[in-house]
Amino acid sequence: MNALNNDIKYLKGVGEFRSKLLSKLNIFTIGDLLEHFPRDYINRRSAVKIRDLKFAENCSFVGNIVSVEKIQRPHKKSQLNVVVTDGEDYLFLTWFRFGNWFIDQFKNGKQIWVSGIVSEFRGTPQILHPQTEILDEEDMKLDFWKTRSVLPVYPLTEKISMNVMRNLIYKAFELYADEIEENLPPYIAEKFNFPDRKTALQKIHFTQHPYSIPQEKIRFAFEELFFTQLMLARSKYGHEKKQNGNKFTLEKTFTTKLKNSLPFELTNAQKRVIREFVEDMTSSKQMNRLLQGDVGSGKTIVTIFAMLLAIENGFQSILMAPTEILAEQHFNSISKLLSNQPKIRIALLKGGVSKAKTELKQKIKNGEVDIIIGTHALIQKDVEFNNAGFVAIDEQHRFGVEQRAVLSHRNSNPDLMYLSATPIPRSLALTVYGDLDVSIIDELPPNRKEIKTTYYNFNKSSVVYEKVETQLKIGRQVYVVCPLIKESEKIDLLDAETLFERLSTHVFPNRKIALLHGKMKTKDKDSIMEKFKNGEFDILVSTTVIEVGIDVPNATVMIVEHAERFGLSQLHQLRGRVGRGSDRSYCYLIVHPPISEEGRERLNIMIETNDGFKIAEKDLEIRGPGDFFGTQQSGIPIFKHANIIRDRELLKTARILAFDIIDEDHELDLTKNEILNKVYFSKYAKREKLFDF
Ligand code: ADP
Ligand code: MG
């Protein structure tokens, strides 16, 4: 086994204690340490002068400390001022949050590296809360570092100092550099002009010319993207090769009847998507398709076509939704749309136990129902389908990988469709769902009007309430969303309970108002939602628990309190609860200052566009892929070096190359792919099954 795979604790100078600390940086092996890259570099001999620092820009500077002063004014936060000089001018470094141990590191005369955004204080340049490092040769220990002008700056964790990190990496190189192996065949490395792996690593850590190493860094980003795509390519190839799906024929009985009875014309996007899956379903490959479309874009109707196609071939169709209320909503709307086709038998399978349920399960098993709609109840062991030909999973990201797998494997290889109302930016879709075919409904039905979005300061709430009153007078309904349920001592936010009180007693005393939040029992929540849907309440005050897919066409106003606190995708999802009928809808974003620059940018984007894909792109840009789906999303690969936003072009290139290679050589048996075979099957293949749902 390659020594780079050895546990990091066996590296000289690490041991049990430090290895625990390093694990927080995702460093578990010696190889991981070698791939712990600098986030910046310090040039100790930098000749940058203070007068050359650019205002409002991120600058690095090396100088000497001339004074250290802690200022404590009565009733004010204490302040630390450290003044540094280049021999001619002065620069103020200022902190407002610091401990005493922090002050102790700054001593007059010491050389210091400083990095941060330059501002100005009474005519003198200043950096607030800069990053710093005292450049003390005595602390460097190794002669190697003492002779260097340029030093790497590493991401650190508590109790591992910069010098310790530098020394560990230097040691790891000294002992293990010869173990660094190539992982790309020459034909790929040459194509991109990549330096060999060892040289690249060496340069990244020990360069004296930090601005001359982009190609070295790109190499590592490429590796991550490429091997992930190789995995996806193999998984997709696996699906397609199997050809074990049901080969349906378009009988045009139930499907045509549905088409002719629709109260509206399908949009072009809907027609295109229907063509895409009809092609899959009439071939012998098992369909694996992600259907993306903004809330209200009409995914349900498209899904019903697929259901009927399976049913007119004598199979059953299944729709799984994440909650009972959504399952019920689907059941009602599907029953309505198919009311002129009594031959199609539709059933809703609920949770819990009852005699009726036992009977229904028997019917499902005997093939006495054609469409089965339900929640997780569908994947319980005792539910057996007669012959599932098509399975749709609504809000698919709310289910775990295993749950999805149950439906696809336990049955007769049904065609699968995953529905998503969260528009997923292309670069993210390619890395997370890169082995699925993707259909996108990128067009809303024509009768929709843009949701008019505006933002107001909270002290202008009365203006908003007047506008709300006009809507209430003509019989429309209103959502109000707050970030918290209860008043909190820790955070000064308007909460749902307080707002509910205020609206019920002062603002709209004559209206029927309901309160909904996540601490309520599911049954109570569902019943309130149901009543709101039936028009029994005028206003629903809620936390963010209102279901994404809920369809209340009569609700035309969405008010979001503390809009500055919500992420873009979340705001877009909330806004999507209105605008589902043909009346004009309104979204009021109420802000409670202070509001950050980024917060303001988010609000402006919401006002500028209703386009879910544009908003998702922006959201991904601002928050990064980890936070985009929320933490519970499984299957997002964690990249150390690649950034799918910054590197989207590289991702495309890596994807094309990976898919071409697998197309030609799906088991990586060819001599030219020998290195790939070795690396892939030892490191990546074990993750394949995660993607195979
Ligand atoms: P999604 O599931 O994508 O959020 P739905 O399928 O629930 O959207 O559709 C939202 C509403 O739009 C439903 O009331 C549906 O009947 C209606 N609808 C769907 N397609 C069209 C269309 N082409 N023209 C007009 N209305 C449509
Ligand atoms: Mg839906």
Side-chain angles (χ1 to χ4, degrees), residues 353 357 361 365 377-384 410:
V353 271
K357 193 179 165 189
K361 281 192 284 197
K365 192 176 166 187
L378 292 171
I379 51 177
Q380 279 158 6
K381 282 214 181 63
D382 61 343
V383 179
E384 274 180 69
R410 210 174 62 192

Side-chain angles (χ1 to χ4, degrees), residues 133 149 185 195 328 393 499 582 628:
E133 188 190 343
S149 303
E328 212 153 300
I393 301 179
L499 189 62
S582 51
F628 182 83

Side-chain angles (χ1 to χ4, degrees), residues 327-460:
E328 212 153 300
Q329 184 175 292
H330 279 305
F331 176 74
N332 292 334
S333 60
I334 292 174
S335 302
K336 208 164 124 201
L337 277 160
L338 297 179
S339 58
N340 63 341
Q341 305 211 54
K343 274 193 199 150
I344 303 171
R345 296 154 300 179
I346 312 170
L348 176 66
L349 187 75
K350 294 191 172 198
V353 271
S354 66
K355 191 154 164 268
K357 193 179 165 189
T358 316
E359 280 170 20
L360 179 56
K361 281 192 284 197
Q362 198 56 43
K363 280 187 173 173
I364 293 172
K365 192 176 166 187
N366 297 342
E368 291 163 38
V369 271
D370 305 301
I371 294 180
I372 303 117
I373 300 164
T375 57
H376 301 78
L378 292 171
I379 51 177
Q380 279 158 6
K381 282 214 181 63
D382 61 343
V383 179
E384 274 180 69
F385 300 103
N386 187 273
N387 57 353
F390 171 79
V391 172
I393 301 179
D394 196 17
E395 305 293 331
Q396 55 83 29
H397 62 278
R398 306 258 299 260
F399 295 96
V401 174
E402 296 79 14
Q403 291 173 316
R404 293 181 296 207
V406 170
L407 278 179
S408 72
H409 294 316
R410 210 174 62 192
N411 303 294
S412 42
N413 297 321
D415 284 326
L416 299 169
M417 185 131 89
Y418 307 98
L419 310 188
S420 170
T422 314
I424 306 166
R426 193 174 149 71
S427 53
L428 193 55
L430 288 184
T431 40
V432 183
Y433 304 112
D435 60 337
L436 303 181
D437 294 303
V438 180
S439 286
I440 300 179
I441 306 185
D442 50 5
E443 183 186 355
L444 290 181
N447 56 348
R448 295 296 146 70
K449 298 215 173 69
E450 289 254 300
I451 301 163
K452 196 169 158 26
T453 307
T454 28
Y455 70 79
Y456 284 90
N457 202 306
F458 76 102
N459 59 19
K460 291 274 174 9

Side-chain angles (χ1 to χ4, degrees), residues 43-50 53 60-68 81-93 105-114 132-137:
N43 186 351
R44 293 201 287 151
R45 322 254 190 270
S46 156
V48 173
K49 291 285 183 189
I50 288 172
L53 297 180
S60 293
F61 170 77
V62 175
N64 288 83
I65 299 175
V66 290
S67 98
V68 181
N81 281 333
V82 173
V83 183
V84 298
T85 183
D86 55 9
E88 290 164 27
D89 297 290
Y90 298 96
L91 171 68
F92 272 78
L93 311 178
Q105 63 177 319
F106 302 108
K107 299 226 163 57
N108 286 349
K110 293 252 184 209
Q111 195 188 31
I112 184 173
W113 168 81
V114 180
T132 57
E133 188 190 343
I134 305 294
L135 300 171
D136 200 331
E137 292 207 355

